[in-house]
Amino acid sequence: MESKIEVVELNAGFGSTHVLKNISMSIPRNRVTAIIGPSGCGKSTFVRCLNRIHELVPGAWVRGKVLLDGKNIYDSDVDPVDIRRRVGMVFQKPNPFPAMSIFDNIAYGPKIHGMKKGLERIVEDSLRKAALWDEVKHRLKDSPVSLSGGQQQRLCIARALAVEPEVILFDEPCSALDPVATAKIEDLILELRENYTIVIVTHNMQQAARIADYTAFFLMGELIEYGETAQIFENPRDKRTEDYITGRFG
Amino acid sequence: MRSRVSSLPFFRGISPDTLFQIFLGSIAVLSVLVLAALLLRELIVGAMPALSAYGVEFLFSAEWNPVLSEFGALPFIYGTIVSSLLALLIGVPLSLGIAVFLTEIAPAKVRAVLSPVIELLAAIPSVIIGLWGIFVLAPFVREHIAPLLMEHLGFLPLFRGPAYGYSVLTAGIVLAIMITPIISSVSREALLAVPRLQKEGALALGATRFEAVTGVVLPYARGAIFGAVMLGLGRAIGETMAVTMVIGNSPQLFTSLLHPGYTMAAVIANEFTEATDDIYLAALIEIGLVLFAISMVVNIIARAITWRYLRVQGGS
Ligand SMILES: Nc1ncnc2c1ncn2[C@@H]1O[C@H](COP(=O)(O)OP(=O)(O)O)[C@@H](O)[C@H]1O
Ligand SMILES: [Mg+2]
């Protein structure tokens, strides 16, 4: 399996708190990789290291390598702004920009990257890919605040797609959504898998089982076990993984 | 959990706590309304001789000649509006710059020192700022700022000479300095209240920090920032002492900002003691009435717009 991202001995933390400990793993291209583990084990910190958002928190630090297509994104000649365009992110809570219309939410990314023409096209394409077009095509000028939580989250996915990323990180994208909205997002992720490399943090194990090709189990900042999803859930090699997926802790 | 409810028929189903709140609330609202109404009545009664003598003409006449009993408020209304808008024009970008610097750029230590220092500016008595205006700013405007403006923008009537130190421009700068602490500190609070997820959302799309702040963070806070600007405007409109010390106190319809002007608050304060005959006094009180009305309108617009933005943002 060809890897899109290669994480090599990644350590990260906040000030004196050492959160991620020597994580090494390879994230395959055009596949869905799930990160599971109990709250506070460093899942968010991990994905936030993959697009250099982590370092924006005061006191945050990173050591180690993250190779994107073989190039370390932490090399000094790499512009983090460029990495963040290539590695998109969808957050735990939908975060549309309330001061902008639905249209402008999507167009914002392309605009800051200098695109002036063809925005209608990009907005429509992105909304279609995010399975939101039919629901909002008549109200593109409205504020996104009027959308439901699930629609807002799909808007955020469309917004991320509009800048044509190669990788999309999802940090517990459904934790604020009801089951119907969750199912929609899951279907969407499975479709996006065709064209994007996807990493999804979830603490819903059924969700990981449903949509992920590979699953990594984190515990207290360490990568305990990583493999094909079926193997992790049906045949875990580590006792701690087994305890977690059978619900004995976490 | 159920609380006890009133047994009076009219208030049935309302808890005593709620009743008490309604009671206190009504008293507070009523007393404010009564005070405002009394004040308004006092102003109207006092202004009556001028109101009946000059009618609406009072608002549109530019003649102010107490000796001949000619009273027109236009130069003062005009002076107040222009000097206040000038203050906003200078003060708002300055304040937003300070707010963004303090929340986004300055290291924690710089922020800890600078924030209280800026807020302390608000505590300086306006007569002291006026003195500074007289001794430092007015000469500086006359000798440096005005010649520069005349040289580069002199083709505009706004910057035509001759340059006086005591001018609308000087007053505008003084007012800008006076409203900057309030606008910048309220805006800073507004920026701090913007969820981190908003900025990260923009950054995750590949926005630079500058793009994230100007395109997402500031617009998110625009309702509160607008409220801050209106607070500043309210202060600028009502400011008396510092303005009268530097604006030149000349009731004219200036076109050049380098020339002197006059404001409503300033003329009331300056001429009140000289106003010996009834009609003169009434004219000054009518200017007070206009000032009161303009301040009210500014405030009501501010509330209305702030409230609308808050509602759009879902009460955040
Ligand atoms: N801004 C921060 N400052 C200090 N510590 C933090 C910060 N954010 C998270 N942490 C700590 O880092 C650890 C991992 O957090 P996180 O990556 O959010 O875990 P998860 O997403 O798995 O719940 C936690 O112990 C948390 O307390
Ligand atoms: Mg998390």
Side-chain angles (χ1 to χ4, degrees), chain A residues 98-158:
Chain A
M100 297 180 197
S101 66
I102 291 172
F103 183 96
D104 288 337
N105 262 271
I106 315 284
Y108 175 76
K111 271 191 205 155
I112 57 175
H113 294 108
M115 179 168 283
K116 292 190 184 75
K117 280 187 237 142
L119 288 170
E120 280 81 11
R121 177 87 224 198
I122 292 190
V123 170
E124 178 174 344
D125 283 354
S126 308
L127 284 168
R128 280 191 192 283
K129 282 189 214 158
L132 189 59
W133 174 250
D134 289 328
E135 290 159 67
V136 300
K137 63 183 170 195
H138 296 304
R139 48 201 285 208
L140 294 174
K141 290 205 166 65
D142 289 3
S143 162
V145 177
S146 58
L147 300 175
S148 73
Q151 288 173 323
Q152 289 190 10
Q153 196 61 301
R154 277 178 284 145
L155 181 69
C156 293
I157 295 174

Coordinates of all heavy atoms in Angstrom, one line a residue, chain A residues 98-158:
Chain A
P98 N -19.9 32.8 10.6 CA -21.3 33.3 10.6 C -21.5 34.7 9.9 O -22.6 35.0 9.5 CB -21.6 33.5 12.1 CG -20.3 33.6 12.7 CD -19.3 32.8 11.9
A99 N -20.4 35.4 9.8 CA -20.5 36.7 9.1 C -20.5 36.7 7.6 O -20.8 37.6 6.9 CB -19.3 37.6 9.6
M100 N -20.3 35.5 7.1 CA -20.3 35.3 5.6 C -21.6 34.5 5.2 O -22.1 33.7 6.0 CB -19.1 34.5 5.2 CG -17.8 35.2 5.4 SD -16.5 34.1 4.8 CE -15.1 34.7 5.7
S101 N -22.0 34.7 4.0 CA -23.1 33.9 3.4 C -22.6 32.4 3.2 O -21.4 32.2 3.3 CB -23.5 34.4 2.1 OG -22.5 34.3 1.1
I102 N -23.5 31.5 2.9 CA -23.1 30.2 2.6 C -22.1 30.2 1.4 O -21.1 29.5 1.5 CB -24.4 29.3 2.3 CG1 -25.2 29.2 3.6 CG2 -24.0 28.0 1.7 CD1 -26.6 28.5 3.3
F103 N -22.5 30.9 0.4 CA -21.6 31.0 -0.8 C -20.2 31.5 -0.4 O -19.2 30.8 -0.7 CB -22.2 32.0 -1.8 CG -21.4 32.1 -3.1 CD1 -21.8 31.4 -4.2 CD2 -20.3 32.9 -3.2 CE1 -21.1 31.4 -5.4 CE2 -19.6 33.0 -4.3 CZ -20.0 32.3 -5.5
D104 N -20.1 32.5 0.4 CA -18.8 33.1 0.7 C -18.0 32.2 1.7 O -16.8 32.2 1.7 CB -19.0 34.5 1.4 CG -19.4 35.5 0.4 OD1 -19.1 35.3 -0.8 OD2 -20.0 36.5 0.8
N105 N -18.7 31.4 2.5 CA -18.0 30.4 3.3 C -17.1 29.5 2.4 O -16.0 29.2 2.7 CB -19.0 29.6 4.1 CG -19.1 30.1 5.5 OD1 -18.4 29.7 6.4 ND2 -20.0 31.0 5.8
I106 N -17.7 29.0 1.3 CA -17.0 28.1 0.4 C -16.0 28.9 -0.4 O -14.9 28.4 -0.6 CB -18.0 27.4 -0.6 CG1 -19.2 26.9 0.2 CG2 -17.3 26.3 -1.3 CD1 -19.1 25.7 1.0
A107 N -16.4 30.1 -0.8 CA -15.5 30.8 -1.7 C -14.3 31.5 -1.0 O -13.3 31.8 -1.6 CB -16.3 32.0 -2.4
Y108 N -14.4 31.5 0.3 CA -13.3 32.2 1.1 C -11.9 31.5 0.8 O -11.0 32.3 0.6 CB -13.6 32.1 2.6 CG -12.5 32.6 3.5 CD1 -12.4 33.9 3.7 CD2 -11.7 31.7 4.2 CE1 -11.4 34.4 4.5 CE2 -10.7 32.2 5.0 CZ -10.5 33.6 5.1 OH -9.5 34.0 5.9
G109 N -11.9 30.2 0.9 CA -10.6 29.6 0.7 C -10.0 29.8 -0.7 O -8.9 30.4 -0.8
P110 N -10.8 29.5 -1.8 CA -10.2 29.9 -3.1 C -9.8 31.3 -3.2 O -8.8 31.7 -3.9 CB -11.4 29.5 -4.0 CG -12.2 28.5 -3.3 CD -12.0 28.8 -1.8
K111 N -10.6 32.2 -2.6 CA -10.3 33.7 -2.8 C -9.0 34.0 -2.1 O -8.2 34.7 -2.7 CB -11.4 34.5 -2.1 CG -12.6 34.9 -3.0 CD -13.4 35.9 -2.3 CE -14.8 35.9 -2.8 NZ -15.8 36.4 -1.8
I112 N -8.7 33.5 -0.9 CA -7.5 33.9 -0.3 C -6.3 33.3 -1.1 O -5.2 33.7 -0.9 CB -7.4 33.5 1.2 CG1 -7.6 32.0 1.4 CG2 -8.3 34.3 2.0 CD1 -7.4 31.5 2.8
H113 N -6.6 32.2 -1.9 CA -5.5 31.7 -2.7 C -5.4 32.3 -4.1 O -4.9 31.8 -5.0 CB -5.5 30.2 -2.8 CG -5.3 29.6 -1.4 ND1 -6.3 29.0 -0.7 CD2 -4.2 29.5 -0.6 CE1 -5.8 28.6 0.5 NE2 -4.6 28.9 0.5
G114 N -6.1 33.5 -4.2 CA -5.9 34.3 -5.4 C -6.9 34.1 -6.5 O -6.7 34.6 -7.6
M115 N -7.9 33.2 -6.3 CA -8.8 32.9 -7.4 C -9.9 33.9 -7.4 O -10.5 34.3 -6.4 CB -9.4 31.5 -7.2 CG -10.4 31.2 -8.2 SD -10.8 29.4 -8.1 CE -9.4 28.7 -8.8
K116 N -10.1 34.5 -8.6 CA -11.2 35.5 -8.7 C -12.3 35.1 -9.6 O -13.5 35.4 -9.4 CB -10.6 36.8 -9.3 CG -9.6 37.5 -8.3 CD -9.2 38.9 -8.7 CE -8.2 39.4 -7.8 NZ -6.9 38.8 -8.0
K117 N -12.0 34.3 -10.6 CA -13.0 33.8 -11.6 C -13.4 32.4 -11.3 O -12.7 31.6 -10.7 CB -12.5 34.0 -13.0 CG -12.6 35.4 -13.5 CD -12.3 35.6 -14.9 CE -11.2 36.6 -15.2 NZ -10.2 36.2 -16.2
G118 N -14.6 32.0 -11.8 CA -15.0 30.6 -11.7 C -15.4 30.2 -10.2 O -15.5 29.0 -9.9
L119 N -15.7 31.2 -9.4 CA -16.0 30.8 -8.0 C -17.3 30.1 -7.9 O -17.5 29.2 -7.1 CB -16.0 32.1 -7.1 CG -14.7 32.7 -6.8 CD1 -14.8 34.1 -6.2 CD2 -13.9 31.8 -5.9
E120 N -18.3 30.5 -8.8 CA -19.6 29.9 -8.8 C -19.5 28.4 -9.0 O -20.1 27.6 -8.3 CB -20.5 30.4 -9.9 CG -21.2 31.8 -9.5 CD -20.3 32.9 -9.8 OE1 -19.2 32.7 -10.4 OE2 -20.6 34.1 -9.3
R121 N -18.6 28.1 -9.9 CA -18.4 26.7 -10.3 C -17.8 25.9 -9.1 O -18.3 24.8 -8.8 CB -17.3 26.8 -11.5 CG -16.9 25.5 -12.0 CD -17.8 25.0 -13.0 NE -18.1 23.6 -12.9 CZ -18.6 22.9 -13.9 NH1 -18.9 23.5 -15.0 NH2 -18.8 21.6 -13.7
I122 N -16.8 26.5 -8.5 CA -16.1 25.8 -7.4 C -17.1 25.6 -6.2 O -17.1 24.6 -5.6 CB -14.9 26.6 -6.9 CG1 -13.8 26.6 -8.0 CG2 -14.4 26.1 -5.6 CD1 -12.5 27.2 -7.5
V123 N -17.9 26.7 -6.0 CA -18.8 26.6 -4.9 C -19.8 25.5 -5.1 O -20.1 24.6 -4.3 CB -19.6 27.9 -4.7 CG1 -20.7 27.8 -3.7 CG2 -18.6 29.0 -4.1
E124 N -20.4 25.4 -6.4 CA -21.3 24.4 -6.7 C -20.7 23.0 -6.6 O -21.2 22.1 -5.9 CB -22.0 24.6 -8.1 CG -22.9 23.5 -8.4 CD -23.7 23.7 -9.7 OE1 -23.7 24.8 -10.2 OE2 -24.3 22.7 -10.2
D125 N -19.5 22.8 -7.2 CA -18.8 21.5 -7.2 C -18.6 21.1 -5.7 O -18.8 19.9 -5.4 CB -17.5 21.6 -7.9 CG -17.7 21.6 -9.4 OD1 -18.8 21.4 -9.8 OD2 -16.7 21.8 -10.1
S126 N -18.1 22.0 -4.9 CA -17.8 21.6 -3.5 C -19.0 21.2 -2.8 O -19.0 20.3 -2.0 CB -17.1 22.8 -2.8 OG -16.0 23.3 -3.6
L127 N -20.1 22.0 -3.0 CA -21.3 21.7 -2.3 C -21.9 20.3 -2.7 O -22.4 19.6 -2.0 CB -22.3 22.8 -2.4 CG -22.1 24.1 -1.6 CD1 -23.0 25.2 -2.0 CD2 -22.3 23.8 -0.1
R128 N -21.7 20.1 -4.0 CA -22.2 18.8 -4.5 C -21.4 17.6 -3.9 O -22.0 16.6 -3.5 CB -22.1 18.7 -6.1 CG -23.2 19.4 -6.8 CD -23.2 19.1 -8.3 NE -24.1 20.0 -9.0 CZ -25.4 19.9 -9.1 NH1 -25.9 18.8 -8.5 NH2 -26.1 20.7 -9.8
K129 N -20.1 17.8 -3.9 CA -19.2 16.7 -3.3 C -19.6 16.5 -1.9 O -19.4 15.4 -1.4 CB -17.8 17.1 -3.4 CG -17.2 16.9 -4.8 CD -15.7 17.1 -4.8 CE -15.1 17.7 -6.1 NZ -13.8 18.4 -5.9
A130 N -20.0 17.6 -1.2 CA -20.3 17.4 0.2 C -21.8 17.1 0.4 O -22.3 17.1 1.5 CB -20.0 18.7 1.0
A131 N -22.5 16.7 -0.7 CA -23.9 16.3 -0.6 C -24.8 17.4 0.1 O -25.7 17.0 0.8 CB -24.0 15.0 0.1
L132 N -24.5 18.6 -0.2 CA -25.3 19.7 0.4 C -26.0 20.6 -0.6 O -26.9 21.4 -0.3 CB -24.3 20.5 1.3 CG -25.0 21.6 2.2 CD1 -26.0 20.9 3.2 CD2 -23.9 22.3 3.0
W133 N -25.6 20.4 -1.9 CA -26.0 21.4 -2.9 C -27.5 21.5 -3.0 O -28.1 22.6 -3.0 CB -25.5 20.9 -4.3 CG -26.0 21.7 -5.4 CD1 -26.8 21.3 -6.4 CD2 -25.7 23.1 -5.7 NE1 -27.1 22.3 -7.3 CE2 -26.4 23.4 -6.9 CE3 -24.9 24.1 -5.1 CZ2 -26.4 24.7 -7.5 CZ3 -24.9 25.3 -5.7 CH2 -25.6 25.6 -6.8
D134 N -28.2 20.3 -3.0 CA -29.7 20.4 -3.2 C -30.4 21.1 -2.0 O -31.4 21.7 -2.2 CB -30.3 19.0 -3.4 CG -29.9 18.4 -4.7 OD1 -29.7 19.2 -5.7 OD2 -29.7 17.2 -4.8
E135 N -29.8 21.0 -0.9 CA -30.4 21.6 0.3 C -30.2 23.1 0.4 O -30.9 23.8 1.1 CB -29.9 20.9 1.6 CG -30.4 19.5 1.7 CD -29.5 18.7 2.7 OE1 -29.5 19.0 3.9 OE2 -28.9 17.7 2.2
V136 N -29.1 23.6 -0.2 CA -28.8 25.0 0.0 C -28.8 25.8 -1.3 O -28.6 27.0 -1.3 CB -27.5 25.2 0.7 CG1 -27.5 24.6 2.0 CG2 -26.3 24.7 -0.1
K137 N -29.1 25.2 -2.5 CA -28.8 25.9 -3.7 C -29.7 27.2 -3.9 O -29.3 28.1 -4.6 CB -29.0 25.0 -4.9 CG -30.4 24.4 -5.1 CD -30.5 23.5 -6.3 CE -31.8 22.8 -6.3 NZ -31.8 21.6 -7.2
H138 N -30.8 27.2 -3.2 CA -31.7 28.4 -3.3 C -31.4 29.4 -2.2 O -32.1 30.4 -2.1 CB -33.2 28.0 -3.2 CG -33.6 27.1 -4.4 ND1 -33.4 27.5 -5.7 CD2 -34.1 25.8 -4.5 CE1 -33.8 26.5 -6.5 NE2 -34.2 25.5 -5.8
R139 N -30.5 29.1 -1.3 CA -30.3 30.0 -0.2 C -28.8 30.3 0.0 O -28.3 30.5 1.1 CB -30.9 29.5 1.1 CG -30.6 28.0 1.3 CD -31.5 27.4 2.2 NE -31.3 27.8 3.6 CZ -31.6 27.1 4.7 NH1 -32.1 25.8 4.5 NH2 -31.4 27.5 5.9
L140 N -28.1 30.4 -1.1 CA -26.6 30.6 -1.0 C -26.2 31.9 -0.4 O -25.2 32.0 0.1 CB -26.0 30.5 -2.4 CG -26.1 29.1 -3.1 CD1 -25.6 29.2 -4.5 CD2 -25.3 28.1 -2.3
K141 N -27.2 32.9 -0.4 CA -26.9 34.2 0.1 C -27.2 34.2 1.6 O -26.9 35.2 2.3 CB -27.6 35.3 -0.6 CG -27.2 35.5 -2.0 CD -27.5 36.9 -2.5 CE -26.8 37.3 -3.7 NZ -27.2 36.5 -4.9
D142 N -27.9 33.2 2.1 CA -28.2 33.2 3.6 C -27.0 33.0 4.4 O -26.0 32.5 4.0 CB -29.2 32.1 3.8 CG -30.6 32.4 3.2 OD1 -30.7 33.4 2.5 OD2 -31.5 31.6 3.4
S143 N -27.2 33.3 5.7 CA -26.2 33.0 6.7 C -26.2 31.5 7.0 O -27.2 30.9 7.1 CB -26.4 33.8 8.0 OG -25.7 33.3 9.0
P144 N -25.0 31.0 7.2 CA -24.9 29.5 7.5 C -25.5 29.2 8.9 O -25.8 28.1 9.2 CB -23.4 29.2 7.5 CG -22.8 30.5 7.8 CD -23.7 31.6 7.2
V145 N -25.7 30.2 9.7 CA -26.3 30.0 11.1 C -27.7 29.4 11.0 O -28.0 28.7 11.9 CB -26.4 31.4 11.8 CG1 -27.0 31.2 13.2 CG2 -25.0 32.0 11.9
S146 N -28.4 29.6 9.9 CA -29.7 29.1 9.8 C -29.7 27.6 9.5 O -30.8 26.9 9.5 CB -30.5 29.8 8.7 OG -29.9 29.7 7.5
L147 N -28.6 27.0 9.1 CA -28.5 25.6 8.8 C -28.5 24.7 10.0 O -28.1 25.1 11.1 CB -27.2 25.3 8.0 CG -27.1 26.0 6.7 CD1 -25.7 25.7 6.1 CD2 -28.2 25.7 5.7
S148 N -28.9 23.4 9.9 CA -28.9 22.5 11.0 C -27.4 22.1 11.3 O -26.5 22.4 10.4 CB -29.7 21.2 10.7 OG -28.9 20.5 9.7
G149 N -27.1 21.5 12.4 CA -25.8 21.1 12.8 C -25.1 20.2 11.7 O -24.0 20.4 11.3
G150 N -25.9 19.2 11.2 CA -25.4 18.3 10.2 C -25.1 19.1 8.9 O -24.0 18.8 8.3
Q151 N -26.0 20.0 8.5 CA -25.7 20.8 7.3 C -24.5 21.7 7.5 O -23.7 21.8 6.6 CB -26.9 21.6 7.0 CG -28.1 20.8 6.5 CD -29.4 21.7 6.3 OE1 -29.6 22.6 7.1 NE2 -30.2 21.4 5.3
Q152 N -24.4 22.2 8.7 CA -23.2 23.1 8.9 C -21.9 22.3 8.8 O -20.9 22.8 8.3 CB -23.3 23.7 10.3 CG -24.4 24.8 10.5 CD -24.3 25.5 11.8 OE1 -23.3 25.4 12.5 NE2 -25.3 26.3 12.1
Q153 N -21.9 21.1 9.3 CA -20.7 20.3 9.2 C -20.4 19.9 7.8 O -19.3 19.9 7.4 CB -20.9 19.0 10.1 CG -19.6 18.3 10.4 CD -18.5 19.1 11.2 OE1 -18.1 20.2 10.7 NE2 -18.1 18.7 12.3
R154 N -21.5 19.6 7.0 CA -21.2 19.3 5.6 C -20.7 20.6 4.8 O -19.9 20.6 3.9 CB -22.4 18.8 4.9 CG -22.5 17.2 5.1 CD -23.8 16.6 4.5 NE -25.0 16.9 5.3 CZ -26.2 17.2 4.8 NH1 -26.4 17.1 3.6 NH2 -27.2 17.4 5.7
L155 N -21.2 21.8 5.3 CA -20.7 23.0 4.8 C -19.2 23.2 5.0 O -18.5 23.6 4.2 CB -21.5 24.2 5.4 CG -21.1 25.6 4.9 CD1 -21.5 25.8 3.4 CD2 -21.7 26.7 5.7
C156 N -18.8 22.8 6.2 CA -17.4 22.9 6.6 C -16.6 21.9 5.7 O -15.4 22.2 5.4 CB -17.2 22.6 8.1 SG -17.9 23.9 9.1
I157 N -17.2 20.8 5.4 CA -16.5 19.8 4.5 C -16.4 20.4 3.1 O -15.3 20.4 2.5 CB -17.2 18.5 4.5 CG1 -17.2 17.8 5.9 CG2 -16.6 17.5 3.5 CD1 -18.0 16.5 6.0
A158 N -17.5 21.0 2.7 CA -17.4 21.6 1.3 C -16.4 22.7 1.3 O -15.6 22.9 0.3 CB -18.8 22.2 1.0

